[in-house]
Amino acid sequence: HVTCFPHRDTNNVWQLQKAYGVQTNYTVDPIAFVNDQDIIQLVHNTTGATVRTGSGFMAPMTSAHYEVAAENVTTTTEEGATNWRVEVVKQKHSGRKDKRVHAMTTVFRLRHVETGCLMRVGSRRLPKWGWGQSEVTCLPDSTKKKDIRSSDVLWYIERNSNKRMEKSDLSRYVKSSFLVDMVQLNIEMAKTNNALWPDVNKYSALESKPWSWPLLIHPMRMVGWNDKTVKYYEIGNPLLWWASALVCFAYPFRLLYLLARMKRKCPLWRPKELLEFWDNSKFLWGGWALHYIPFFLMGRVTYIHHYLPALYFALMQLAFELDFFFKRWKHGRYLRTAAWAIGAVVCIVFLYFAPFTYGWDKPAKLLAGRKWLSSWNIYEDFYAV
């Protein structure tokens, strides 16, 4: 089966060859450019397999479409099954008016010559045997003429190389629009995110669930973990991590408590103080919530570093609440002392965990004392076989 996936790989590389049966020596014969309505074959660069389809085989997931597969062409290959007609749709972001296929700028369809169907990639994912990749099918068109322009049947060439040709600077031909590029980039990022589904039947030492991030339950090993390599552990400062999580989790309940006391005419603070607390804290807590809560709605693979933007706001919320408290406790008499004490403790803990940040090139077991939670896989992999 031919599939699509959202990252670069050697399996993405294809050769465009002339139609089946046309004898060509690609190292000696004159270079022929691909133009609108040309008939080509798509040959996989790594395996030599040629893309084919036919009305006799339906796609595994989208059963109304024809299957698109690749096989090594032999004398028994059904004649014409590997031929595809190039239909140029537009020259994107360039001033070119010709019908030649250019890398990056030419958008085209691939229509199967024999059946008239259009090669298409949809949003459906193949099951485990297909590695969760996107299914490529051939959309039937009995008329062989439909001018379908939906994005799922449009293709372009991202990179082209030919040892017989000089390299060219594509920036001379590509016109870029900031707004168009921004929209397109976000669409592609969304597609990539949607493709990163976790395997629920497979343990991964890297993945973690959003609920565990504020509690720092599953820090992440960044690189290899043998005794001779430099090891990095994504863990942060546990005291700051847990303290910021505590104030963020407690904030809604604390706000309700303050409002309830104000409603019952026994306020803990004066109205001006409560307004100051609300005006400053709502943006900080809101920033934390907006950067954290959406991850519970995502189906993609998640890692602990996805929490870092939310942690930024959580730390500012922690600093604000400590400052707000010590300014009012004993009329601010111990504010400076508290600031120095908290700063000293934070620095000591930072230095204690510094080997994880700056790299540790000795056996990880020497850092066993820094394992404050049983779930931290500092020197042992709990699921290693």
Side-chain angles (χ1 to χ4, degrees), residues 169-292:
D169 183 10
L170 286 176
S171 64
R172 294 184 301 166
Y173 307 102
V174 179
K175 295 179 180 178
S176 180
S177 166
F178 173 76
L179 291 177
V180 172
D181 290 346
M182 183 184 68
V183 171
Q184 184 64 32
L185 180 61
N186 279 274
I187 291 173
E188 294 305 319
M189 286 193 298
K191 289 180 180 178
T192 301
N193 276 314
N194 290 334
L196 298 174
W197 285 88
D199 187 347
V200 295
N201 297 315
K202 182 181 178 181
Y203 163 74
S204 174
L206 304 179
E207 300 169 17
S208 57
K209 299 294 185 182
W211 65 265
S212 69
W213 299 340
L215 305 177
L216 200 60
I217 292 177
H218 296 294
M220 189 173 79
R221 294 180 178 182
M222 301 295 292
V223 289
W225 216 250
N226 62 61
D227 290 346
K228 296 182 180 179
T229 60
V230 179
K231 294 167 281 295
Y232 299 92
Y233 200 51
E234 191 173 22
I235 190 171
N237 188 316
L239 290 187
L240 287 178
W241 207 289
W242 291 328
S244 63
L246 178 63
V247 297
C248 286
F249 285 141
Y251 177 80
F253 302 101
R254 186 180 180 191
L255 203 61
L256 287 173
Y257 171 73
L258 294 172
L259 292 174
R261 290 198 58 147
M262 183 179 70
K263 194 73 173 176
R264 295 176 65 86
K265 307 299 183 183
C266 53
L268 190 63
W269 298 328
R270 295 191 300 272
K272 184 179 178 181
E273 291 178 318
L274 182 60
L275 184 62
E276 179 187 352
F277 178 78
W278 166 248
D279 283 344
N280 288 278
S281 62
K282 64 183 178 184
F283 293 107
L284 301 178
W285 188 87
W288 171 82
L290 289 174
H291 283 83
Y292 176 50

Side-chain angles (χ1 to χ4, degrees), residues 2 59-62 120-122 124-126 133-137:
V2 176
M61 302 294 292
T62 312
R120 169 190 176 273
V121 57
R124 303 193 70 173
R125 305 288 173 188
L126 293 169
Q133 296 173 3
S134 297
E135 180 188 38
V136 176
T137 64

Side-chain angles (χ1 to χ4, degrees), residues 69-184:
E71 65 174 8
N72 290 310
V73 176
T74 65
T75 54
T76 60
T77 299
E78 183 180 350
E79 186 174 351
T82 58
N83 286 341
W84 300 85
R85 176 175 283 106
V86 177
E87 297 179 352
V88 174
V89 176
K90 62 180 176 179
Q91 301 287 2
K92 185 175 64 171
H93 304 320
S94 72
R96 289 166 167 157
K97 303 297 182 183
D98 60 352
K99 288 292 187 177
R100 180 182 293 179
V101 175
H102 302 280
M104 294 299 296
T105 62
T106 306
V107 179
F108 57 91
R109 292 184 294 259
L110 288 172
R111 189 183 297 275
H112 191 240
V113 174
E114 185 179 75
T115 64
C117 64
L118 293 169
M119 190 184 295
R120 169 190 176 273
V121 57
S123 58
R124 303 193 70 173
R125 305 288 173 188
L126 293 169
K128 190 174 182 179
W129 57 262
W131 301 97
Q133 296 173 3
S134 297
E135 180 188 38
V136 176
T137 64
C138 207
L139 176 65
D141 176 15
S142 57
T143 67
K144 300 185 180 182
K145 295 181 180 179
K146 286 184 179 178
D147 186 21
I148 300 175
R149 291 174 177 253
S150 59
S151 59
D152 55 351
V153 298
L154 299 180
W155 305 86
Y156 74 96
I157 296 173
E158 188 173 84
R159 181 176 178 269
N160 176 43
S161 62
N162 189 323
K163 294 180 180 178
R164 298 176 62 191
M165 298 181 64
E166 295 182 0
K167 292 184 178 180
S168 179
D169 183 10
L170 286 176
S171 64
R172 294 184 301 166
Y173 307 102
V174 179
K175 295 179 180 178
S176 180
S177 166
F178 173 76
L179 291 177
V180 172
D181 290 346
M182 183 184 68
V183 171
Q184 184 64 32

